[in-house]
Amino acid sequence: MTILVTGGAGYIGSHTVLELLTSGYDVVVLDNLCNASAESLKRVELLTGKTVTFYKADIRDRAAVDGIFERHRIEAVIHFAGLKAVGESTAKPLDYYSVNVSGSVVLAQAMAAAGVTKLIFSSSATVYGEDAPVPYREDMPRGKTSNPYGTSKAMVEQILTDISFADERWSAVLLRYFNPFGAHLSGQIGEDPQGVPNNLMPFIAQVAVGRRESLSIFGDDYDTKDGTCERDYLHVVDLAKGHVLALKATEQSGTHIYNLGTGKATSVKQVVQAFERVTGVTIPYSIAPRRAGDLPAFWAEASKAFSELGWRAEMGIDDMMRDTWRWQQNNPNGYRG
Ligand code: NAD
Ligand code: WQD
């Protein structure tokens, strides 16, 4: 059975391609490599002993996407391709709506034309919005998003919901990720951000390896256990496995929503302490002002994915630290060597 993975050379995509291959699926990847390296897929091939068919193309290029459906008998699509930097989305909203929203529309049009109607979409906990009570449950309405990135995810969720309502052959699985951390246990594939990392884990890893001097913790005066923000961090390999299990849900028509998180909240200071404990490396940090748009604390109600898909996170924060560190030490400059 062949799965098309858009954005499959990226961080979560490459880990998912690996899990698909080891679960016996054939995989075709479309990625324009704007935030990834083809090296990730070469390493996935080495780790699995299997091959990946790769197309370097833009998700908005209808002819290129049509060509893939003509050449391969695709059973289902896992759609990761998109832009994901929250701050950048505020500065360049059109880029985000073009790639994330128009790109998803082009993909869905190409799928419809090819008669492929099973889609898994990378959504985000951010769609619950600024005012949702915690923990977030899938039956809560989407809330007020605070940036074009989050709005683009909410818009695509709605578009896919409408498509599956209009045509009963369609199945759209909306996976709302919480905060993915970590890397594959081999230390061969991991997160490789371009420029200064926006996210906490790659920043800590780059401080640890000497690429950056010190971590700024954005605020320690929140109403949380130690004053720093709390998030639901999950291991990227657990997240990748969630996609393989979610393929089961594409067998039923309609829209299916799942949180992929651990159900536990960890503070920024606890993350730093865990990294230091697991690696023995001290992370110099200072307290900086709050970052605009940060919510104090959110985490998943994670039971639906377990009861319906049989998925739950198996790894904890220490595993995420160990595996991030292994990846970062093996690849201090990411895929650039
Ligand atoms: P990533 O940037 O590593 O992966 C996205 C991939 O899409 C990259 O390989 C990039 O080259 C590709 N891409 C971007 N624009 C494209 C285009 N126009 N055409 C074709 N390919 C294109 O990011 P990731 O962390 O692996 O995230 C994957 C998906 O999950 C994204 O949709 C992201 O919004 C979503 N998501 C990520 C997180 C997170 O914290 N990492 C959380 C929630 C949701
Ligand atoms: C985590 C915590 C920061 C960096 C974002 C998106 C979300 C989703 C995941 C895609 C926060 C603190 C961070 C630093 C810090 N992405 N921090 N110093 O903001 O929870 O979620 O990525 O869908 O939509 O918003 O993740 O890793 O940026 O931050 O103190 O240098 O770490 O304030 O509390 P976030 P993050």
PDB file of all heavy atoms in Angstrom, residues 36-68:
ATOM      1  N   ALA A  36      14.065  21.903   4.691  1.00  0.00           N
ATOM      2  CA  ALA A  36      14.510  20.529   4.947  1.00  0.00           C
ATOM      3  C   ALA A  36      15.644  20.194   3.989  1.00  0.00           C
ATOM      4  O   ALA A  36      15.936  20.949   3.059  1.00  0.00           O
ATOM      5  CB  ALA A  36      13.341  19.559   4.715  1.00  0.00           C
ATOM      6  N   SER A  37      16.244  19.028   4.242  1.00  0.00           N
ATOM      7  CA  SER A  37      17.326  18.552   3.390  1.00  0.00           C
ATOM      8  C   SER A  37      16.965  17.150   2.909  1.00  0.00           C
ATOM      9  O   SER A  37      16.435  16.340   3.691  1.00  0.00           O
ATOM     10  CB  SER A  37      18.609  18.506   4.222  1.00  0.00           C
ATOM     11  OG  SER A  37      19.553  17.676   3.596  1.00  0.00           O
ATOM     12  N   ALA A  38      17.306  16.854   1.658  1.00  0.00           N
ATOM     13  CA  ALA A  38      17.041  15.511   1.142  1.00  0.00           C
ATOM     14  C   ALA A  38      17.879  14.472   1.880  1.00  0.00           C
ATOM     15  O   ALA A  38      17.594  13.268   1.828  1.00  0.00           O
ATOM     16  CB  ALA A  38      17.325  15.462  -0.356  1.00  0.00           C
ATOM     17  N   GLU A  39      18.912  14.940   2.583  1.00  0.00           N
ATOM     18  CA  GLU A  39      19.754  14.032   3.377  1.00  0.00           C
ATOM     19  C   GLU A  39      18.920  13.251   4.405  1.00  0.00           C
ATOM     20  O   GLU A  39      19.217  12.101   4.714  1.00  0.00           O
ATOM     21  CB  GLU A  39      20.848  14.866   4.072  1.00  0.00           C
ATOM     22  CG  GLU A  39      21.759  14.111   5.017  1.00  0.00           C
ATOM     23  CD  GLU A  39      22.652  13.072   4.349  1.00  0.00           C
ATOM     24  OE1 GLU A  39      22.840  13.123   3.119  1.00  0.00           O
ATOM     25  OE2 GLU A  39      23.139  12.188   5.079  1.00  0.00           O
ATOM     26  N   SER A  40      17.854  13.900   4.924  1.00  0.00           N
ATOM     27  CA  SER A  40      17.031  13.194   5.932  1.00  0.00           C
ATOM     28  C   SER A  40      16.460  11.912   5.327  1.00  0.00           C
ATOM     29  O   SER A  40      16.437  10.865   5.977  1.00  0.00           O
ATOM     30  CB  SER A  40      15.905  14.098   6.446  1.00  0.00           C
ATOM     31  OG  SER A  40      14.996  14.407   5.396  1.00  0.00           O
ATOM     32  N   LEU A  41      16.023  11.985   4.081  1.00  0.00           N
ATOM     33  CA  LEU A  41      15.418  10.799   3.460  1.00  0.00           C
ATOM     34  C   LEU A  41      16.478   9.754   3.112  1.00  0.00           C
ATOM     35  O   LEU A  41      16.222   8.554   3.197  1.00  0.00           O
ATOM     36  CB  LEU A  41      14.621  11.200   2.219  1.00  0.00           C
ATOM     37  CG  LEU A  41      13.390  12.077   2.518  1.00  0.00           C
ATOM     38  CD1 LEU A  41      12.722  12.526   1.227  1.00  0.00           C
ATOM     39  CD2 LEU A  41      12.383  11.327   3.400  1.00  0.00           C
ATOM     40  N   LYS A  42      17.680  10.222   2.751  1.00  0.00           N
ATOM     41  CA  LYS A  42      18.769   9.253   2.492  1.00  0.00           C
ATOM     42  C   LYS A  42      19.047   8.467   3.761  1.00  0.00           C
ATOM     43  O   LYS A  42      19.261   7.260   3.741  1.00  0.00           O
ATOM     44  CB  LYS A  42      20.039   9.988   2.050  1.00  0.00           C
ATOM     45  CG  LYS A  42      19.922  10.593   0.670  1.00  0.00           C
ATOM     46  CD  LYS A  42      21.302  10.893   0.086  1.00  0.00           C
ATOM     47  CE  LYS A  42      21.161  11.710  -1.175  1.00  0.00           C
ATOM     48  NZ  LYS A  42      21.708  13.070  -1.072  1.00  0.00           N
ATOM     49  N   ARG A  43      19.034   9.177   4.884  1.00  0.00           N
ATOM     50  CA  ARG A  43      19.311   8.490   6.160  1.00  0.00           C
ATOM     51  C   ARG A  43      18.167   7.541   6.531  1.00  0.00           C
ATOM     52  O   ARG A  43      18.406   6.467   7.076  1.00  0.00           O
ATOM     53  CB  ARG A  43      19.548   9.519   7.254  1.00  0.00           C
ATOM     54  CG  ARG A  43      20.817  10.309   6.979  1.00  0.00           C
ATOM     55  CD  ARG A  43      21.231  11.113   8.162  1.00  0.00           C
ATOM     56  NE  ARG A  43      22.381  11.940   7.848  1.00  0.00           N
ATOM     57  CZ  ARG A  43      22.980  12.734   8.713  1.00  0.00           C
ATOM     58  NH1 ARG A  43      22.540  12.814   9.958  1.00  0.00           N
ATOM     59  NH2 ARG A  43      24.023  13.457   8.362  1.00  0.00           N
ATOM     60  N   VAL A  44      16.947   7.949   6.239  1.00  0.00           N
ATOM     61  CA  VAL A  44      15.808   7.049   6.492  1.00  0.00           C
ATOM     62  C   VAL A  44      15.975   5.772   5.657  1.00  0.00           C
ATOM     63  O   VAL A  44      15.742   4.659   6.141  1.00  0.00           O
ATOM     64  CB  VAL A  44      14.471   7.762   6.170  1.00  0.00           C
ATOM     65  CG1 VAL A  44      13.325   6.776   6.092  1.00  0.00           C
ATOM     66  CG2 VAL A  44      14.188   8.845   7.206  1.00  0.00           C
ATOM     67  N   GLU A  45      16.429   5.928   4.436  1.00  0.00           N
ATOM     68  CA  GLU A  45      16.638   4.749   3.574  1.00  0.00           C
ATOM     69  C   GLU A  45      17.717   3.845   4.151  1.00  0.00           C
ATOM     70  O   GLU A  45      17.569   2.622   4.182  1.00  0.00           O
ATOM     71  CB  GLU A  45      17.021   5.192   2.160  1.00  0.00           C
ATOM     72  CG  GLU A  45      15.852   5.851   1.424  1.00  0.00           C
ATOM     73  CD  GLU A  45      16.175   6.194  -0.028  1.00  0.00           C
ATOM     74  OE1 GLU A  45      17.331   6.548  -0.331  1.00  0.00           O
ATOM     75  OE2 GLU A  45      15.262   6.111  -0.863  1.00  0.00           O
ATOM     76  N   LEU A  46      18.796   4.458   4.636  1.00  0.00           N
ATOM     77  CA  LEU A  46      19.871   3.650   5.227  1.00  0.00           C
ATOM     78  C   LEU A  46      19.391   2.926   6.477  1.00  0.00           C
ATOM     79  O   LEU A  46      19.697   1.759   6.699  1.00  0.00           O
ATOM     80  CB  LEU A  46      21.055   4.553   5.604  1.00  0.00           C
ATOM     81  CG  LEU A  46      21.992   4.924   4.462  1.00  0.00           C
ATOM     82  CD1 LEU A  46      23.011   5.971   4.910  1.00  0.00           C
ATOM     83  CD2 LEU A  46      22.722   3.672   3.950  1.00  0.00           C
ATOM     84  N   LEU A  47      18.603   3.634   7.299  1.00  0.00           N
ATOM     85  CA  LEU A  47      18.143   3.036   8.562  1.00  0.00           C
ATOM     86  C   LEU A  47      17.153   1.900   8.330  1.00  0.00           C
ATOM     87  O   LEU A  47      17.100   0.954   9.111  1.00  0.00           O
ATOM     88  CB  LEU A  47      17.472   4.118   9.439  1.00  0.00           C
ATOM     89  CG  LEU A  47      18.423   5.143  10.073  1.00  0.00           C
ATOM     90  CD1 LEU A  47      17.648   6.340  10.611  1.00  0.00           C
ATOM     91  CD2 LEU A  47      19.224   4.491  11.197  1.00  0.00           C
ATOM     92  N   THR A  48      16.370   1.999   7.273  1.00  0.00           N
ATOM     93  CA  THR A  48      15.307   1.005   7.051  1.00  0.00           C
ATOM     94  C   THR A  48      15.686  -0.050   6.002  1.00  0.00           C
ATOM     95  O   THR A  48      15.022  -1.083   5.913  1.00  0.00           O
ATOM     96  CB  THR A  48      14.000   1.675   6.568  1.00  0.00           C
ATOM     97  OG1 THR A  48      14.283   2.386   5.357  1.00  0.00           O
ATOM     98  CG2 THR A  48      13.451   2.635   7.608  1.00  0.00           C
ATOM     99  N   GLY A  49      16.701   0.260   5.185  1.00  0.00           N
ATOM    100  CA  GLY A  49      17.029  -0.645   4.077  1.00  0.00           C
ATOM    101  C   GLY A  49      15.964  -0.625   2.985  1.00  0.00           C
ATOM    102  O   GLY A  49      15.872  -1.544   2.175  1.00  0.00           O
ATOM    103  N   LYS A  50      15.137   0.419   2.975  1.00  0.00           N
ATOM    104  CA  LYS A  50      14.069   0.527   1.958  1.00  0.00           C
ATOM    105  C   LYS A  50      14.241   1.837   1.191  1.00  0.00           C
ATOM    106  O   LYS A  50      14.942   2.734   1.649  1.00  0.00           O
ATOM    107  CB  LYS A  50      12.704   0.495   2.638  1.00  0.00           C
ATOM    108  CG  LYS A  50      12.558  -0.778   3.453  1.00  0.00           C
ATOM    109  CD  LYS A  50      11.148  -1.078   3.831  1.00  0.00           C
ATOM    110  CE  LYS A  50      11.115  -2.440   4.493  1.00  0.00           C
ATOM    111  NZ  LYS A  50       9.845  -2.812   5.012  1.00  0.00           N
ATOM    112  N   THR A  51      13.565   1.926   0.045  1.00  0.00           N
ATOM    113  CA  THR A  51      13.722   3.148  -0.735  1.00  0.00           C
ATOM    114  C   THR A  51      12.465   4.018  -0.645  1.00  0.00           C
ATOM    115  O   THR A  51      11.346   3.532  -0.453  1.00  0.00           O
ATOM    116  CB  THR A  51      13.989   2.849  -2.231  1.00  0.00           C
ATOM    117  OG1 THR A  51      12.976   1.965  -2.677  1.00  0.00           O
ATOM    118  CG2 THR A  51      15.349   2.239  -2.447  1.00  0.00           C
ATOM    119  N   VAL A  52      12.709   5.318  -0.802  1.00  0.00           N
ATOM    120  CA  VAL A  52      11.624   6.303  -0.800  1.00  0.00           C
ATOM    121  C   VAL A  52      11.637   6.953  -2.175  1.00  0.00           C
ATOM    122  O   VAL A  52      12.697   7.340  -2.657  1.00  0.00           O
ATOM    123  CB  VAL A  52      11.889   7.398   0.256  1.00  0.00           C
ATOM    124  CG1 VAL A  52      10.824   8.478   0.219  1.00  0.00           C
ATOM    125  CG2 VAL A  52      12.012   6.801   1.651  1.00  0.00           C
ATOM    126  N   THR A  53      10.480   7.082  -2.796  1.00  0.00           N
ATOM    127  CA  THR A  53      10.413   7.811  -4.067  1.00  0.00           C
ATOM    128  C   THR A  53      10.206   9.279  -3.736  1.00  0.00           C
ATOM    129  O   THR A  53       9.239   9.628  -3.053  1.00  0.00           O
ATOM    130  CB  THR A  53       9.240   7.295  -4.924  1.00  0.00           C
ATOM    131  OG1 THR A  53       9.366   5.882  -5.020  1.00  0.00           O
ATOM    132  CG2 THR A  53       9.262   7.920  -6.309  1.00  0.00           C
ATOM    133  N   PHE A  54      11.145  10.108  -4.197  1.00  0.00           N
ATOM    134  CA  PHE A  54      11.115  11.522  -3.785  1.00  0.00           C
ATOM    135  C   PHE A  54      10.865  12.445  -4.970  1.00  0.00           C
ATOM    136  O   PHE A  54      11.518  12.314  -6.005  1.00  0.00           O
ATOM    137  CB  PHE A  54      12.443  11.897  -3.111  1.00  0.00           C
ATOM    138  CG  PHE A  54      12.539  13.356  -2.769  1.00  0.00           C
ATOM    139  CD1 PHE A  54      11.619  13.946  -1.906  1.00  0.00           C
ATOM    140  CD2 PHE A  54      13.536  14.159  -3.330  1.00  0.00           C
ATOM    141  CE1 PHE A  54      11.680  15.302  -1.604  1.00  0.00           C
ATOM    142  CE2 PHE A  54      13.605  15.515  -3.030  1.00  0.00           C
ATOM    143  CZ  PHE A  54      12.679  16.080  -2.163  1.00  0.00           C
ATOM    144  N   TYR A  55       9.939  13.383  -4.797  1.00  0.00           N
ATOM    145  CA  TYR A  55       9.690  14.437  -5.786  1.00  0.00           C
ATOM    146  C   TYR A  55       9.960  15.781  -5.132  1.00  0.00           C
ATOM    147  O   TYR A  55       9.313  16.120  -4.129  1.00  0.00           O
ATOM    148  CB  TYR A  55       8.236  14.408  -6.270  1.00  0.00           C
ATOM    149  CG  TYR A  55       7.912  13.170  -7.067  1.00  0.00           C
ATOM    150  CD1 TYR A  55       7.421  12.021  -6.454  1.00  0.00           C
ATOM    151  CD2 TYR A  55       8.128  13.139  -8.449  1.00  0.00           C
ATOM    152  CE1 TYR A  55       7.148  10.872  -7.186  1.00  0.00           C
ATOM    153  CE2 TYR A  55       7.853  11.992  -9.186  1.00  0.00           C
ATOM    154  CZ  TYR A  55       7.365  10.870  -8.552  1.00  0.00           C
ATOM    155  OH  TYR A  55       7.098   9.737  -9.278  1.00  0.00           O
ATOM    156  N   LYS A  56      10.902  16.536  -5.712  1.00  0.00           N
ATOM    157  CA  LYS A  56      11.128  17.900  -5.219  1.00  0.00           C
ATOM    158  C   LYS A  56      10.152  18.807  -5.952  1.00  0.00           C
ATOM    159  O   LYS A  56      10.300  19.060  -7.156  1.00  0.00           O
ATOM    160  CB  LYS A  56      12.573  18.341  -5.493  1.00  0.00           C
ATOM    161  CG  LYS A  56      12.901  19.723  -4.951  1.00  0.00           C
ATOM    162  CD  LYS A  56      14.398  19.997  -5.041  1.00  0.00           C
ATOM    163  CE  LYS A  56      14.792  21.304  -4.390  1.00  0.00           C
ATOM    164  NZ  LYS A  56      14.440  22.492  -5.121  1.00  0.00           N
ATOM    165  N   ALA A  57       9.120  19.231  -5.251  1.00  0.00           N
ATOM    166  CA  ALA A  57       8.074  20.039  -5.890  1.00  0.00           C
ATOM    167  C   ALA A  57       7.332  20.833  -4.833  1.00  0.00           C
ATOM    168  O   ALA A  57       7.337  20.483  -3.646  1.00  0.00           O
ATOM    169  CB  ALA A  57       7.092  19.128  -6.631  1.00  0.00           C
ATOM    170  N   ASP A  58       6.694  21.896  -5.305  1.00  0.00           N
ATOM    171  CA  ASP A  58       5.891  22.739  -4.414  1.00  0.00           C
ATOM    172  C   ASP A  58       4.479  22.168  -4.329  1.00  0.00           C
ATOM    173  O   ASP A  58       3.903  21.775  -5.356  1.00  0.00           O
ATOM    174  CB  ASP A  58       5.859  24.178  -4.975  1.00  0.00           C
ATOM    175  CG  ASP A  58       5.357  25.170  -3.942  1.00  0.00           C
ATOM    176  OD1 ASP A  58       4.173  25.085  -3.534  1.00  0.00           O
ATOM    177  OD2 ASP A  58       6.153  26.031  -3.532  1.00  0.00           O
ATOM    178  N   ILE A  59       3.935  22.157  -3.139  1.00  0.00           N
ATOM    179  CA  ILE A  59       2.599  21.589  -2.948  1.00  0.00           C
ATOM    180  C   ILE A  59       1.540  22.382  -3.737  1.00  0.00           C
ATOM    181  O   ILE A  59       0.470  21.861  -4.067  1.00  0.00           O
ATOM    182  CB  ILE A  59       2.249  21.537  -1.430  1.00  0.00           C
ATOM    183  CG1 ILE A  59       0.967  20.770  -1.148  1.00  0.00           C
ATOM    184  CG2 ILE A  59       2.177  22.934  -0.810  1.00  0.00           C
ATOM    185  CD1 ILE A  59       1.051  19.324  -1.427  1.00  0.00           C
ATOM    186  N   ARG A  60       1.858  23.629  -4.080  1.00  0.00           N
ATOM    187  CA  ARG A  60       0.893  24.452  -4.839  1.00  0.00           C
ATOM    188  C   ARG A  60       0.982  24.203  -6.341  1.00  0.00           C
ATOM    189  O   ARG A  60       0.212  24.789  -7.107  1.00  0.00           O
ATOM    190  CB  ARG A  60       1.124  25.935  -4.541  1.00  0.00           C
ATOM    191  CG  ARG A  60       0.824  26.296  -3.102  1.00  0.00           C
ATOM    192  CD  ARG A  60       1.442  27.628  -2.724  1.00  0.00           C
ATOM    193  NE  ARG A  60       2.900  27.547  -2.750  1.00  0.00           N
ATOM    194  CZ  ARG A  60       3.726  28.546  -2.470  1.00  0.00           C
ATOM    195  NH1 ARG A  60       3.239  29.725  -2.148  1.00  0.00           N
ATOM    196  NH2 ARG A  60       5.032  28.390  -2.510  1.00  0.00           N
ATOM    197  N   ASP A  61       1.932  23.359  -6.765  1.00  0.00           N
ATOM    198  CA  ASP A  61       2.129  23.097  -8.189  1.00  0.00           C
ATOM    199  C   ASP A  61       1.206  21.939  -8.598  1.00  0.00           C
ATOM    200  O   ASP A  61       1.548  20.767  -8.477  1.00  0.00           O
ATOM    201  CB  ASP A  61       3.610  22.755  -8.410  1.00  0.00           C
ATOM    202  CG  ASP A  61       3.944  22.450  -9.864  1.00  0.00           C
ATOM    203  OD1 ASP A  61       3.010  22.234 -10.669  1.00  0.00           O
ATOM    204  OD2 ASP A  61       5.146  22.402 -10.184  1.00  0.00           O
ATOM    205  N   ARG A  62       0.016  22.306  -9.086  1.00  0.00           N
ATOM    206  CA  ARG A  62      -1.021  21.304  -9.361  1.00  0.00           C
ATOM    207  C   ARG A  62      -0.535  20.237 -10.358  1.00  0.00           C
ATOM    208  O   ARG A  62      -0.814  19.041 -10.183  1.00  0.00           O
ATOM    209  CB  ARG A  62      -2.280  22.015  -9.881  1.00  0.00           C
ATOM    210  CG  ARG A  62      -3.417  21.125 -10.317  1.00  0.00           C
ATOM    211  CD  ARG A  62      -4.081  20.386  -9.167  1.00  0.00           C
ATOM    212  NE  ARG A  62      -4.956  19.349  -9.685  1.00  0.00           N
ATOM    213  CZ  ARG A  62      -6.240  19.501  -9.994  1.00  0.00           C
ATOM    214  NH1 ARG A  62      -6.838  20.671  -9.789  1.00  0.00           N
ATOM    215  NH2 ARG A  62      -6.947  18.511 -10.481  1.00  0.00           N
ATOM    216  N   ALA A  63       0.203  20.693 -11.378  1.00  0.00           N
ATOM    217  CA  ALA A  63       0.658  19.720 -12.385  1.00  0.00           C
ATOM    218  C   ALA A  63       1.602  18.701 -11.747  1.00  0.00           C
ATOM    219  O   ALA A  63       1.527  17.488 -12.031  1.00  0.00           O
ATOM    220  CB  ALA A  63       1.357  20.440 -13.538  1.00  0.00           C
ATOM    221  N   ALA A  64       2.471  19.178 -10.874  1.00  0.00           N
ATOM    222  CA  ALA A  64       3.420  18.259 -10.220  1.00  0.00           C
ATOM    223  C   ALA A  64       2.669  17.274  -9.327  1.00  0.00           C
ATOM    224  O   ALA A  64       2.975  16.071  -9.300  1.00  0.00           O
ATOM    225  CB  ALA A  64       4.434  19.051  -9.404  1.00  0.00           C
ATOM    226  N   VAL A  65       1.669  17.770  -8.600  1.00  0.00           N
ATOM    227  CA  VAL A  65       0.922  16.885  -7.695  1.00  0.00           C
ATOM    228  C   VAL A  65       0.097  15.880  -8.519  1.00  0.00           C
ATOM    229  O   VAL A  65       0.080  14.678  -8.225  1.00  0.00           O
ATOM    230  CB  VAL A  65       0.030  17.709  -6.724  1.00  0.00           C
ATOM    231  CG1 VAL A  65      -0.706  16.786  -5.759  1.00  0.00           C
ATOM    232  CG2 VAL A  65       0.871  18.718  -5.945  1.00  0.00           C
ATOM    233  N   ASP A  66      -0.545  16.369  -9.582  1.00  0.00           N
ATOM    234  CA  ASP A  66      -1.288  15.453 -10.473  1.00  0.00           C
ATOM    235  C   ASP A  66      -0.373  14.351 -10.995  1.00  0.00           C
ATOM    236  O   ASP A  66      -0.775  13.179 -11.063  1.00  0.00           O
ATOM    237  CB  ASP A  66      -1.847  16.224 -11.681  1.00  0.00           C
ATOM    238  CG  ASP A  66      -3.119  17.000 -11.339  1.00  0.00           C
ATOM    239  OD1 ASP A  66      -3.730  16.716 -10.290  1.00  0.00           O
ATOM    240  OD2 ASP A  66      -3.483  17.907 -12.118  1.00  0.00           O
ATOM    241  N   GLY A  67       0.846  14.743 -11.375  1.00  0.00           N
ATOM    242  CA  GLY A  67       1.805  13.774 -11.937  1.00  0.00           C
ATOM    243  C   GLY A  67       2.080  12.632 -10.969  1.00  0.00           C
ATOM    244  O   GLY A  67       2.210  11.475 -11.369  1.00  0.00           O
ATOM    245  N   ILE A  68       2.158  12.959  -9.686  1.00  0.00           N
ATOM    246  CA  ILE A  68       2.421  11.910  -8.681  1.00  0.00           C
ATOM    247  C   ILE A  68       1.244  10.924  -8.635  1.00  0.00           C
ATOM    248  O   ILE A  68       1.428   9.707  -8.621  1.00  0.00           O
ATOM    249  CB  ILE A  68       2.676  12.547  -7.300  1.00  0.00           C
ATOM    250  CG1 ILE A  68       3.995  13.324  -7.339  1.00  0.00           C
ATOM    251  CG2 ILE A  68       2.699  11.477  -6.200  1.00  0.00           C
ATOM    252  CD1 ILE A  68       4.322  14.073  -6.064  1.00  0.00           C
TER     253      ILE A  68
END
